[in-house]
Amino acid sequence: MAQSTDDVLVSRDGGVLVLTLARPKKKNALTGAMYEALIDGFDQAQADEEIGALLLRGSGGVFTAGNDIGDFIAAAQTPHTMAAYRFVEALALLDKPLVLAIEGAAIGIGTTMLLHCDLAFATSDAQFKMPFVDLGLVPEAGSSLLLPQRIGMVRAAELLLLGKGFSAPRALELGLINAIVPVQALENHAAREAAALAAKPRQAMLGARRLLRGDRTALLAKIREEATAFAGALQSGEAQKAFQTFMSKGGRP
Ligand code: COA
């Protein structure tokens, strides 16, 4: 059963289910309980005929600092049970359109979620980064398949192997977000676009989305392959050292 948490707020705005990451003191770093709450939100949206789209946003001026690094340390004992894996599969299998509103840091899964959403809007201060290798880890969320498909292999290597951070203008240039929106307009803009998706003829919308995404077999196979490699990497000395460095504030990945 899912642990309950106040760190994800679930609300409705007409036909849109709004999920808000609400752990600002920890830069909305995602815990197991938060992943479970997001999965519950996805399930709720899938089951509810009134809901036509989902909107995911952060709070406190940050989207998310990615997976909670303390949870990574704890998960090294039983790496296959991490809720993050179930979240990634739920993300890949979501049938209803997902809109992201991104302000500030969007690290790790905060960036790889871009590869699964339908629309993404970011403020000019948004910062994206996939520091998996620097943390002794490997890419997740199907990013090792989807990112080279989207932006080409050499650019994917720059972001996934070198782990270079990138700005909102660069994300726009790479086709990873739709638009850069002023901070005071972000919430309304993303909500309006999500509402527009939700208001479309439902069956046509879901059918069009299925066509855009195509067969998900290869993606799901890649997600599982990544999860196996990720679980192994979590237990490595390289990863444990990187996590301890972060936790002791000795450096940032
Ligand atoms: N896991 C656990 N705690 C995290 C975290 C994470 N991923 N990201 C931030 N935090 C915590 C910090 O430890 C700090 O806690 P404290 O106040 O108890 O010391 C608090 O959130 C604020 O973070 P801080 O680093 O002081 O804020 P900042 O504004 O200087 O930097 C980030 C923000 C997001 C750039 C930076 O925190 C960061 O790089 N986080 C790690 C990102 C990461 O590697 N995620 C894993 C991806 S796979």
Side-chain angles (χ1 to χ4, degrees), residues 89-145:
E89 288 207 17
L91 187 62
L93 290 169
L94 190 65
D95 284 327
K96 292 187 177 170
L98 173 66
V99 178
L100 303 183
I102 299 171
E103 187 183 352
I107 319 278
I109 192 139
T111 297
T112 55
M113 270 193 257
L114 290 174
L115 302 167
H116 296 272
C117 71
D118 297 271
L119 301 173
F121 304 99
T123 56
S124 58
D125 77 334
Q127 275 296 328
F128 301 90
K129 194 172 190 190
M130 295 174 283
F132 304 115
V133 173
D134 287 331
L135 285 167
L137 298 171
V138 296
E140 42 74 312
S143 57
S144 61
L145 176 73

Side-chain angles (χ1 to χ4, degrees), residues 25-27 29 65 67-69 107 135 246 249 252-253:
K25 284 189 180 147
K26 296 288 182 185
K27 306 286 171 187
N67 203 101
D68 185 281
I69 292 187
I107 319 278
L135 285 167
F246 177 79
K249 305 278 174 200
R252 291 283 179 263

